[in-house]
Amino acid sequence: MKIRDAQVIVTSPGRNFATLKVTTDDGVTGLGDATVNGRELAVASYLRDHVVPLLIGRDPHRIEDTWQFLYKGAYWRRGPVTMAAIAAVDVALWDIKGKVAGLPLYQLLGGASRDGVLAYCHASGKDMPELFDSVQRHLALGYRAVRIQSAVPGLGKIYGVGDGVASGRYEPAFRGPLPAEETWDSRAYLRHIPGVFEKVRERFGAELPLLHDAHHRLTPVEAARLGKDLEPYDLFWLEDVTPAEDQDALRLVRQHTTTPLAIGEVFNSIWDCERLIRARLIDYIRTSAVHAGGITHLRRIFGLAELYGVKSGSHGPTDVSPVTMAAAVHLDLAIPNFGIQEHMRHEPIVDEVFPHAYRFADGYLHPGEASGLGVSIDEELAARYPYERAYLPVNRLTDGTAFDW
Ligand code: KDG
Ligand code: MG
């Protein structure tokens, strides 16, 4: 069997996605997600201009060899663009292997280790009534774990807070010629958030697993204080408290709090988290298949994590396409050290462009029994939504200093 063709499809059904479609000489197709939010065309070009010509004629079954060929052969290893391009090829080849075998991907990864994949949703609000409504709506949908984000008095629009009760949607990528700019004040945030969790616990009780994302904005000592202040509210995890490049930053946080820590959505290789995992500075590793080199590499990261008692918590916002969500759900079902899976629902039009077999029911995601990933792309529909320039926001301190978003 040989790869006959590989096409990059960029589509924007409400938000941009870059997808690789690999076709074999006997007509089997595989899909891989290559979306890096706000930088989609760079990965599309990397694939079209540099990777696709290398794929034609290769044996699609040689997944590990193709991964090594693209990673070592590039010489310029790692980085979000390179690793998303390798991920797209890798996931497409796993999809093909599953289809040829006539098995859903999780079966090739060792079979199911659990009955379903616990998913957490995003609830947010500009004030407590709006946040309570948002939690209530997600509980009504069946979610059994909830991420809590709240606006901070005195600050405008900030990360993670949706556009109101009507839709509850949170979409950070701003369509337009320039990024949106937001304002940040860590002291105001640190004063406000513990009270939010106190009220949520009072309202929804002790049982419900609650999560929170600090989006890389705190210094180690600020993060340590937040972790301590949140201890009475028994968080499932506190995410991305400090800038992710600085693996040692979490050492100080860890020394001061027993609130579980999660990090990893911006990591793209095992080298970004190897120290964090070996020193047990985190409890959950949050890399995703698209940003960390596909199923082949993500499995390696989760394998290392398992040795040190660190669990998975794959990134699953709306900027990972249904192709990456499917890859995540198959892997989550199979690995021994699964923790939880983030699940932000895509808009219905995204699910129409990418029909998929995975489904959510009663708090859990299930990959379905279709062979391979169980995701297809409606190319005619995708073509009706051409790329639209969009950027993630830029964050500034109140004095105008550029800050972590
Ligand atoms: O593209 C950036 C988003 O995926 C990210 O900001 C979402 O932090 C995020 C999360 O936890 O889903
Ligand atoms: Mg996050």
Side-chain angles (χ1 to χ4, degrees):
M1 188 182 246
K2 289 196 179 341
I3 296 173
R4 189 189 70 207
D5 186 36
Q7 298 285 333
V8 181
I9 302 162
V10 177
T11 179
S12 194
R15 63 158 12 277
N16 294 312
F17 294 110
T19 308
L20 181 70
K21 179 181 170 192
V22 175
T23 307
T24 69
D25 50 5
D26 46 9
V28 182
T29 58
L31 294 182
D33 178 19
T35 307
V36 173
N37 204 3
R39 297 293 186 271
E40 300 84 359
L41 299 185
V43 195
S45 156
Y46 190 110
L47 282 167
R48 279 190 188 120
D49 297 334
H50 304 290
V51 172
V52 165
L54 304 175
L55 297 179
I56 309 305
R58 289 186 74 83
D59 177 353
H61 282 305
R62 296 185 62 172
I63 297 177
E64 181 67 44
D65 181 60
T66 300
W67 198 97
Q68 300 293 340
F69 177 86
L70 294 175
Y71 182 78
K72 294 181 174 156
Y75 185 61
W76 312 106
R77 298 178 184 190
R78 305 182 289 158
V81 174
T82 297
M83 295 305 275
I86 295 176
V89 175
D90 183 78
V91 172
L93 298 190
W94 277 106
D95 191 17
I96 289 172
K97 199 182 275 295
K99 285 181 180 171
V100 172
L103 290 170
L105 189 66
Y106 75 85
Q107 295 288 14
L108 303 188
L109 299 172
S113 291
R114 53 197 53 80
D115 299 332
V117 166
L118 179 67
Y120 73 88
C121 61
H122 288 195
S124 69
K126 67 174 183 322
D127 51 27
M128 290 317 296
E130 196 175 290
L131 177 58
F132 286 170
D133 277 358
S134 176
V135 175
Q136 200 57 64
R137 271 185 297 117
H138 284 95
L139 295 179
L141 288 170
Y143 286 97
R144 295 166 181 232
V146 185
R147 191 185 88 160
I148 300 291
Q149 303 295 133
S150 160
V152 173
L155 300 183
K157 186 170 162 30
I158 60 166
Y159 167 76
V161 183
D163 63 359
V165 175
S167 76
R169 264 187 292 112
Y170 171 67
E171 174 50 76
F174 178 77
R175 288 173 173 235
L178 291 171
E181 301 212 357
E182 297 175 358
T183 306
W184 183 250
D185 177 350
S186 294
R187 291 187 65 229
Y189 166 79
L190 289 170
R191 279 194 305 271
H192 184 63
I193 290 299
V196 170
F197 276 86
E198 184 184 9
K199 292 182 191 95
V200 171
R201 275 284 175 236
E202 267 167 29
R203 175 74 153 63
F204 294 99
E207 272 294 307
L208 183 65
L210 299 177
L211 304 87
H212 180 65
D213 188 351
H215 227 249
H216 310 115
R217 290 168 178 199
L218 302 176
T219 63
V221 80
E222 288 168 344
R225 172 179 150 198
L226 181 63
K228 274 174 86 160
D229 288 351
L230 292 176
E231 278 172 23
Y233 313 114
D234 186 26
L235 265 61
F236 185 97
W237 79 35
L238 179 56
E239 171 180 337
D240 291 351
V241 276
T242 48
E245 309 89 302
D246 182 358
Q247 294 189 40
D248 279 330
L250 290 179
R251 205 175 290 281
L252 187 130
V253 184
R254 196 59 149 178
Q255 281 161 359
H256 289 277
T257 181
T258 55
T259 294
L261 301 176
I263 201 162
E265 66 186 47
V266 297
F267 292 164
N268 46 66
S269 103
I270 199 164
W271 302 107
D272 294 330
C273 50
E274 168 268 335
R275 268 188 291 150
L276 285 176
I277 291 171
R278 287 199 300 129
R280 302 175 199 262
L281 298 182
I282 52 173
D283 301 278
Y284 297 90
I285 178 71
R286 297 194 63 260
T287 40
S288 69
V290 56
H291 298 130
I295 290 165
T296 297
H297 196 65
L298 189 54
R299 199 153 66 129
R300 205 154 274 149
I301 293 174
F302 290 161
L304 175 69
E306 191 215 341
L307 292 183
Y308 294 92
V310 174
K311 292 186 176 174
S312 74
S314 283
H315 192 212
T318 41
D319 51 280
V320 310
S321 88
V323 176
T324 293
M325 273 310 296
V329 178
H330 283 280
L331 196 53
D332 292 340
L333 197 72
I335 58 172
N337 55 328
F338 168 71
I340 200 165
Q341 173 63 51
E342 183 180 22
H343 184 223
M344 262 179 101
R345 285 164 181 259
H346 287 112
E347 291 295 307
I349 184 61
V350 174
D351 291 332
E352 274 179 57
V353 170
F354 295 96
H356 53 78
Y358 69 81
R359 65 191 198 287
F360 172 83
D362 205 16
Y364 291 86
L365 286 157
H366 303 272
E369 293 300 317
S371 59
L373 283 173
V375 185
S376 57
I377 182 163
D378 181 334
E379 290 181 62
E380 264 179 46
L381 189 57
R384 280 193 239 153
Y385 299 97
Y387 171 80
E388 285 187 43
R389 188 167 302 286
Y391 290 101
L392 288 171
V394 168
N395 205 17
R396 293 188 184 278
L397 298 179
T398 46
D399 70 355
T401 307
F403 196 59
D404 303 284
W405 177 73

XYZ file of all heavy atoms in Angstrom, residues 215-294:
646
model
N -4.482 30.448 32.990
C -3.959 30.852 31.677
C -2.574 31.487 31.734
O -2.317 32.522 31.100
C -4.973 31.740 30.945
C -5.168 31.324 29.522
N -4.745 32.073 28.469
C -5.697 30.202 28.995
C -5.040 31.444 27.336
N -5.606 30.296 27.639
N -1.692 30.894 32.506
C -0.260 31.260 32.508
C 0.018 32.679 32.980
O 0.974 33.309 32.536
C 0.354 31.118 31.102
C 0.098 29.814 30.421
N -0.648 29.710 29.260
C 0.509 28.569 30.720
C -0.683 28.442 28.884
N -0.001 27.728 29.745
N -0.816 33.232 33.908
C -0.694 34.665 34.184
C -0.037 35.027 35.495
O 0.082 36.206 35.791
C -2.096 35.276 34.187
C -2.615 35.280 32.797
C -4.058 35.579 32.720
N -4.372 35.580 31.311
C -5.417 36.130 30.779
N -6.286 36.724 31.556
N -5.606 36.106 29.507
N 0.305 34.035 36.313
C 0.749 34.377 37.663
C 2.248 34.128 37.825
O 2.833 33.292 37.134
C -0.036 33.546 38.685
C -1.561 33.721 38.606
C -2.249 32.776 39.588
C -1.984 35.166 38.876
N 2.837 34.838 38.780
C 4.211 34.520 39.171
C 4.132 33.295 40.089
O 3.052 32.975 40.625
C 4.837 35.691 39.963
O 4.071 35.840 41.175
C 4.816 36.985 39.165
N 5.250 32.611 40.319
C 5.176 31.430 41.200
C 4.583 31.753 42.564
O 3.753 30.993 43.085
C 6.643 30.982 41.300
C 7.240 31.421 39.994
C 6.575 32.731 39.678
N 4.956 32.883 43.161
C 4.455 33.159 44.511
C 2.956 33.499 44.485
O 2.199 33.109 45.379
C 5.344 34.234 45.203
C 5.000 35.648 44.766
C 5.264 34.095 46.707
N 2.521 34.180 43.423
C 1.075 34.448 43.283
C 0.307 33.144 43.083
O -0.778 32.940 43.646
C 0.821 35.372 42.086
C 1.259 36.804 42.292
C 1.265 37.615 40.993
O 1.216 37.030 39.885
O 1.346 38.854 41.085
N 0.883 32.274 42.274
C 0.220 30.991 41.989
C 0.134 30.157 43.260
O -0.880 29.492 43.516
C 0.984 30.241 40.903
N 1.204 30.199 44.072
C 1.202 29.445 45.332
C 0.080 29.969 46.239
O -0.654 29.196 46.858
C 2.562 29.589 46.018
N -0.077 31.281 46.266
C -1.139 31.868 47.096
C -2.523 31.446 46.585
O -3.401 31.065 47.378
C -1.010 33.394 47.075
C -2.169 34.069 47.743
C -2.015 35.576 47.748
N -3.323 36.201 47.714
C -3.527 37.465 47.376
N -2.506 38.234 47.042
N -4.738 37.966 47.382
N -2.709 31.478 45.268
C -4.016 31.081 44.734
C -4.307 29.621 45.072
O -5.408 29.282 45.509
C -4.061 31.292 43.206
C -5.389 30.931 42.547
C -6.529 31.812 43.057
C -5.305 31.030 41.019
N -3.299 28.761 44.884
C -3.486 27.342 45.213
C -3.911 27.159 46.660
O -4.839 26.409 46.975
N -3.242 27.900 47.574
C -3.587 27.797 49.009
C -4.996 28.322 49.272
O -5.781 27.717 49.995
C -2.604 28.631 49.846
C -1.354 27.887 50.201
C -0.366 28.789 50.886
C -0.612 28.872 52.372
N 0.613 29.358 53.058
N -5.303 29.489 48.676
C -6.622 30.090 48.910
C -7.755 29.197 48.395
O -8.893 29.284 48.878
C -6.711 31.465 48.219
C -5.863 32.520 48.937
O -5.355 32.215 50.042
O -5.704 33.626 48.393
N -7.457 28.379 47.375
C -8.514 27.534 46.798
C -8.609 26.165 47.473
O -9.545 25.405 47.204
C -8.289 27.362 45.283
C -8.492 28.636 44.461
C -8.152 28.388 42.986
C -9.932 29.154 44.564
N -7.679 25.855 48.364
C -7.696 24.526 48.994
C -9.037 24.176 49.649
O -9.528 23.054 49.501
C -6.535 24.382 49.997
C -5.246 24.019 49.293
C -4.029 24.061 50.210
O -4.189 23.944 51.441
O -2.905 24.211 49.681
N -9.697 25.125 50.348
C -10.977 24.747 50.979
C -12.038 24.308 49.969
O -13.020 23.670 50.359
C -11.423 26.035 51.685
C -10.206 26.889 51.777
C -9.289 26.498 50.664
N -11.868 24.639 48.685
C -12.926 24.350 47.703
C -12.604 23.108 46.871
O -13.311 22.798 45.919
C -13.205 25.603 46.840
C -13.326 26.807 47.735
C -12.386 27.842 47.683
C -14.309 26.834 48.726
C -12.450 28.894 48.582
C -14.371 27.879 49.632
C -13.436 28.904 49.553
O -13.503 29.916 50.455
N -11.512 22.413 47.235
C -11.257 21.061 46.726
C -11.324 20.982 45.199
O -12.152 20.270 44.634
C -12.291 20.105 47.373
C -12.023 18.663 47.024
O -10.870 18.311 46.736
O -12.990 17.867 47.037
N -10.439 21.726 44.519
C -10.461 21.708 43.054
C -9.979 20.368 42.503
O -9.101 19.729 43.084
C -9.561 22.820 42.485
C -10.287 24.121 42.129
C -10.947 24.742 43.341
C -9.337 25.104 41.456
N -10.541 19.976 41.376
C -10.044 18.816 40.627
C -8.657 19.157 40.107
O -7.750 18.357 40.187
C -10.998 18.502 39.467
C -10.652 17.252 38.708
C -11.292 16.058 39.014
C -9.700 17.255 37.695
C -10.973 14.891 38.317
C -9.379 16.102 37.005
C -10.018 14.918 37.312
N -8.532 20.366 39.518
C -7.209 20.887 39.189
C -7.230 22.393 39.023
O -8.282 23.003 38.780
C -6.591 20.231 37.960
C -7.034 20.670 36.574
C -7.392 21.918 36.143
C -7.104 19.826 35.425
N -7.677 21.892 34.800
C -7.507 20.629 34.338
C -6.841 18.476 35.198
C -7.674 20.120 33.043
C -7.008 17.981 33.907
C -7.421 18.799 32.859
N -6.050 22.965 39.190
C -5.787 24.369 38.894
C -4.822 24.346 37.710
O -3.764 23.725 37.770
C -5.166 25.024 40.127
C -4.785 26.492 40.043
C -5.972 27.365 39.654
C -4.249 26.972 41.406
N -5.243 25.009 36.608
C -4.544 24.832 35.324
C -3.671 26.024 34.982
O -4.073 27.168 35.199
C -5.638 24.642 34.262
C -5.168 24.649 32.832
C -6.356 24.457 31.889
O -7.402 23.897 32.322
O -6.256 24.886 30.731
N -2.510 25.744 34.413
C -1.664 26.758 33.779
C -1.485 27.993 34.667
O -1.752 29.127 34.246
C -2.273 27.189 32.432
C -2.204 26.087 31.381
O -1.538 25.065 31.632
O -2.804 26.258 30.309
N -0.990 27.779 35.870
C -0.884 28.927 36.779
C 0.252 29.863 36.407
O 0.163 31.072 36.590
C -0.728 28.498 38.261
C -2.070 28.219 38.887
C 0.236 27.357 38.447
N 1.360 29.303 35.908
C 2.521 30.132 35.589
C 2.868 29.964 34.106
O 2.417 28.997 33.473
C 3.729 29.703 36.450
O 3.843 28.280 36.387
C 3.570 30.133 37.902
N 3.691 30.854 33.530
C 4.063 30.696 32.114
C 4.700 29.320 31.879
O 5.576 28.889 32.623
C 5.051 31.842 31.880
C 4.640 32.882 32.878
C 4.220 32.106 34.100
N 4.247 28.630 30.841
C 4.546 27.199 30.705
C 5.991 26.911 30.309
O 6.465 25.786 30.497
C 3.592 26.577 29.691
N 6.695 27.896 29.752
C 8.086 27.623 29.344
C 8.979 27.337 30.546
O 10.008 26.691 30.419
C 8.729 28.823 28.630
C 7.996 29.447 27.488
C 7.048 30.535 27.949
O 6.154 30.247 28.777
O 7.182 31.669 27.468
N 8.581 27.885 31.714
C 9.444 27.836 32.890
C 9.054 26.641 33.769
O 8.233 26.754 34.669
C 9.267 29.164 33.651
C 10.155 29.262 34.870
O 10.891 28.290 35.158
O 10.102 30.301 35.540
N 9.653 25.491 33.487
C 9.242 24.271 34.200
C 9.538 24.378 35.696
O 8.824 23.832 36.522
C 9.921 23.036 33.618
C 9.471 22.743 32.186
C 9.959 21.399 31.672
O 9.987 20.402 32.366
N 10.366 21.384 30.409
N 10.597 25.090 36.069
C 10.957 25.184 37.483
C 9.984 26.044 38.291
O 9.949 25.950 39.519
C 12.374 25.734 37.645
C 13.403 24.637 37.431
O 13.066 23.462 37.725
O 14.497 24.933 36.938
N 9.210 26.888 37.605
C 8.290 27.781 38.322
C 7.328 26.988 39.203
O 6.952 27.440 40.289
C 7.500 28.635 37.329
N 6.945 25.804 38.745
C 5.943 25.049 39.497
C 6.505 24.421 40.769
O 5.749 23.973 41.622
C 5.286 23.997 38.606
C 4.370 24.597 37.518
C 3.764 23.499 36.663
C 3.256 25.438 38.134
N 7.830 24.408 40.885
C 8.443 23.844 42.094
C 7.981 24.620 43.336
O 7.579 24.048 44.336
C 9.974 23.915 41.959
C 10.717 22.888 42.772
C 12.213 22.978 42.465
N 12.557 22.518 41.131
C 12.669 21.222 40.794
N 12.464 20.288 41.694
N 12.994 20.883 39.571
N 8.043 25.951 43.240
C 7.641 26.777 44.381
C 6.136 26.625 44.664
O 5.720 26.530 45.816
C 7.992 28.241 44.116
C 7.756 29.145 45.314
C 8.994 29.988 45.578
C 6.564 30.059 45.090
N 5.352 26.565 43.585
C 3.904 26.432 43.765
C 3.611 25.127 44.503
O 2.838 25.085 45.466
C 3.185 26.440 42.386
C 1.678 26.412 42.575
C 3.605 27.651 41.554
N 4.263 24.077 44.038
C 4.071 22.744 44.612
C 4.408 22.693 46.106
O 3.750 22.021 46.877
C 4.990 21.800 43.838
C 4.709 20.366 43.999
C 3.316 20.065 43.550
N 3.189 18.734 43.018
C 2.066 18.238 42.595
N 0.963 18.962 42.625
N 2.009 17.025 42.125
N 5.461 23.435 46.468
C 5.881 23.408 47.882
C 4.846 24.027 48.812
O 4.863 23.800 50.005
C 7.209 24.159 48.058
C 8.417 23.332 47.630
C 9.632 24.208 47.358
O 9.575 25.434 47.472
N 10.729 23.577 46.981
N 3.956 24.852 48.245
C 3.058 25.624 49.107
C 1.602 25.216 49.067
O 0.801 25.736 49.837
C 3.173 27.110 48.762
C 4.483 27.681 49.208
N 4.695 28.097 50.503
C 5.648 27.850 48.559
C 5.942 28.519 50.620
N 6.539 28.374 49.453
N 1.240 24.343 48.132
C -0.197 24.024 48.066
C -0.435 22.570 47.684
O 0.345 21.979 46.927
C -0.934 24.940 47.067
O -2.325 24.600 47.076
C -0.403 24.837 45.659
N -1.556 22.039 48.209
C -1.974 20.690 47.829
C -3.059 20.731 46.755
O -3.607 19.692 46.394
C -2.524 19.924 49.052
O -3.565 20.713 49.637
C -1.433 19.646 50.073
N -3.399 21.912 46.237
C -4.333 21.959 45.102
C -3.655 21.285 43.907
O -2.535 21.650 43.548
C -4.707 23.428 44.777
O -5.454 23.955 45.879
C -5.547 23.520 43.518
N -4.311 20.300 43.277
C -3.689 19.600 42.141
C -3.395 20.564 40.982
O -4.181 21.470 40.693
C -4.738 18.559 41.747
C -5.583 18.378 42.974
C -5.610 19.728 43.641
N -2.271 20.343 40.319
C -1.825 21.238 39.252
C -1.863 20.530 37.899
O -1.503 19.350 37.788
C -0.400 21.717 39.528
C -0.193 22.469 40.845
C 1.282 22.793 41.048
C -1.029 23.759 40.886
N -2.275 21.291 36.877
C -2.312 20.779 35.503
C -1.652 21.809 34.602
O -1.766 23.016 34.841
C -3.759 20.558 35.066
N -0.979 21.336 33.568
C -0.365 22.265 32.609
C -0.104 21.498 31.308
O -0.086 20.274 31.311
C 0.939 22.880 33.193
C 1.314 24.188 32.479
C 2.094 21.895 33.181
C 2.298 25.081 33.229
N 0.087 22.239 30.222
C 0.572 21.544 29.022
C -0.065 21.873 27.694
O 0.386 21.375 26.671
N -1.119 22.740 27.640
C -1.773 22.918 26.338
C -0.867 23.580 25.306
O -1.096 23.436 24.115
C -3.092 23.683 26.493
C -2.926 25.114 26.956
C -4.251 25.799 27.234
O -5.107 25.187 27.908
O -4.431 26.937 26.769
N 0.157 24.328 25.745
C 1.056 24.931 24.741
C 2.334 24.107 24.550
O 3.202 24.512 23.774
C 1.420 26.399 25.074
C 0.180 27.281 25.063
C 2.137 26.522 26.402
N 2.444 22.983 25.214
C 3.629 22.146 24.997
C 3.511 21.458 23.642
O 2.427 21.078 23.223
C 3.723 21.058 26.074
C 4.022 21.592 27.458
C 3.816 20.788 28.565
C 4.511 22.862 27.651
C 4.087 21.242 29.849
C 4.789 23.337 28.931
C 4.570 22.524 30.036
N 4.648 21.258 23.001
C 4.575 20.476 21.769
C 5.511 19.282 21.733
O 5.558 18.580 20.729
C 4.734 21.367 20.531
C 5.863 22.329 20.655
O 7.009 21.917 20.703
N 5.544 23.614 20.752
N 6.237 19.038 22.817
C 7.018 17.804 22.811
C 7.229 17.311 24.240
O 7.038 18.051 25.212
C 8.356 18.005 22.097
O 9.407 18.128 23.020
N 7.692 16.096 24.336
C 7.950 15.477 25.632
C 9.029 16.255 26.390
O 9.038 16.287 27.613
C 8.331 13.993 25.425
C 8.160 13.187 26.712
C 9.747 13.835 24.862
C 8.131 11.671 26.490
N 9.880 16.955 25.658
C 10.953 17.716 26.299
C 10.426 18.937 27.040
O 11.095 19.478 27.914
C 12.013 18.127 25.264
C 12.559 16.910 24.594
C 12.324 16.484 23.315
C 13.413 15.914 25.198
N 12.960 15.294 23.090
C 13.639 14.920 24.213
C 13.986 15.760 26.453
C 14.427 13.795 24.462
C 14.770 14.644 26.703
C 14.981 13.674 25.715
N 9.212 19.382 26.712
C 8.605 20.522 27.415
C 8.107 20.145 28.805
O 7.852 21.021 29.635
C 7.413 21.073 26.626
C 7.833 21.685 25.308
O 8.957 22.202 25.219
O 7.033 21.629 24.346
N 7.888 18.849 29.033
C 7.264 18.459 30.308
C 8.024 17.363 31.034
O 7.605 16.930 32.106
C 5.821 18.002 30.084
S 5.633 16.785 28.795
N 9.145 16.949 30.473
C 9.861 15.804 31.014
C 10.305 16.058 32.464
O 10.125 15.220 33.336
C 10.983 15.525 30.005
C 12.068 14.593 30.363
C 13.261 15.269 30.994
O 13.494 16.471 30.754
O 13.940 14.576 31.763
N 10.811 17.277 32.735
C 11.244 17.586 34.113
C 10.045 17.689 35.045
O 10.078 17.241 36.182
C 12.030 18.898 34.140
C 13.533 18.662 33.969
C 14.291 19.933 34.204
N 14.062 20.902 33.149
C 14.098 22.221 33.313
N 14.326 22.752 34.498
N 13.903 23.033 32.298
N 8.981 18.330 34.543
C 7.757 18.481 35.353
C 7.219 17.132 35.792
O 6.750 16.969 36.916
C 6.657 19.142 34.508
C 6.742 20.615 34.223
C 5.612 21.020 33.299
C 6.654 21.381 35.535
N 7.269 16.189 34.869
C 6.711 14.865 35.164
C 7.646 14.104 36.096
O 7.218 13.562 37.119
C 6.464 14.083 33.852
C 5.313 14.722 33.067
C 6.189 12.614 34.135
C 5.110 14.189 31.661
N 8.938 14.088 35.779
C 9.863 13.276 36.588
C 9.984 13.809 38.022
O 10.189 13.061 38.953
C 11.219 13.162 35.895
C 11.120 12.230 34.679
C 12.431 11.682 34.197
N 13.326 12.744 33.798
C 14.562 12.858 34.227
N 15.044 11.978 35.078
N 15.313 13.850 33.805
N 9.847 15.141 38.173
C 9.927 15.710 39.527
C 8.553 15.733 40.209
O 8.429 16.261 41.307
C 10.504 17.117 39.460
N 7.545 15.186 39.543
C 6.169 15.129 40.080
C 5.693 16.524 40.495
O 5.101 16.697 41.576
C 6.087 14.166 41.262
C 6.530 12.752 40.926
C 6.542 11.876 42.166
N 7.354 10.700 41.975
C 6.890 9.489 41.636
N 5.622 9.313 41.415
N 7.727 8.491 41.503
N 5.950 17.506 39.627
C 5.524 18.878 39.933
C 4.101 19.135 39.463
O 3.538 20.200 39.730
C 6.475 19.888 39.286
C 7.925 19.825 39.772
C 8.763 20.900 39.103
C 7.994 19.987 41.294
N 3.565 18.199 38.684
C 2.176 18.341 38.218
C 1.427 17.040 38.497
O 2.039 15.986 38.697
C 2.098 18.669 36.705
C 2.915 17.652 35.873
C 2.542 20.088 36.443
C 2.733 17.814 34.384
N 0.088 17.163 38.429
C -0.771 15.993 38.610
C -1.399 15.560 37.293
O -1.769 14.404 37.137
C -1.871 16.340 39.629
C -1.248 16.751 40.959
O -0.884 15.871 41.745
O -1.058 17.981 41.170
N -1.531 16.521 36.355
C -2.165 16.236 35.059
C -1.350 16.897 33.951
O -0.945 18.049 34.089
C -3.594 16.809 35.020
C -4.496 16.158 36.046
C -4.608 16.697 37.319
C -5.193 14.989 35.745
C -5.413 16.093 38.281
C -5.997 14.381 36.697
C -6.099 14.928 37.966
O -6.877 14.338 38.907
N -1.167 16.150 32.861
C -0.481 16.717 31.702
C -1.537 16.932 30.599
O -2.282 16.024 30.263
C 0.711 15.829 31.255
C 1.373 16.410 30.023
C 0.349 14.365 31.053
C 2.147 17.662 30.267
N -1.582 18.178 30.070
C -2.723 18.594 29.242
C -2.412 18.758 27.757
O -3.081 19.494 27.044
C -3.285 19.925 29.768
C -3.847 19.847 31.166
C -4.670 21.051 31.502
N -5.821 21.181 30.651
C -5.919 21.982 29.619
N -4.933 22.772 29.266
N -7.021 22.020 28.907
N -1.361 18.122 27.261
C -1.049 18.239 25.827
C -2.152 17.601 24.982
O -2.891 16.762 25.462
C 0.283 17.533 25.531
O 0.320 16.338 26.300
C 1.462 18.377 25.893
N -2.216 17.996 23.711
C -3.216 17.391 22.811
C -2.504 16.768 21.615
O -1.351 17.101 21.322
C -4.189 18.459 22.311
O -3.509 19.327 21.433
N -3.220 15.898 20.911
C -2.625 15.207 19.756
C -2.167 16.220 18.692
O -1.089 16.074 18.127
C -3.613 14.213 19.163
N -2.956 17.266 18.443
C -2.576 18.189 17.356
C -1.347 19.013 17.715
O -0.492 19.276 16.869
C -3.748 19.105 16.917
C -4.328 19.899 18.067
C -3.321 20.069 15.816
N -1.244 19.414 18.980
C -0.120 20.304 19.308
C 1.130 19.554 19.729
O 2.196 20.165 19.843
C -0.549 21.289 20.409
C -1.682 22.162 19.963
N -2.827 22.343 20.697
C -1.851 22.869 18.825
C -3.657 23.129 20.021
N -3.076 23.456 18.880
N 1.029 18.271 19.970
C 2.193 17.523 20.470
C 2.481 16.286 19.617
O 2.642 15.183 20.119
C 1.990 17.144 21.930
N 2.532 16.509 18.298
C 3.083 15.463 17.427
C 2.225 14.245 17.197
O 2.746 13.180 16.851
N 0.924 14.378 17.379
C 0.020 13.282 17.002
C -0.107 12.217 18.069
O 0.378 12.350 19.191
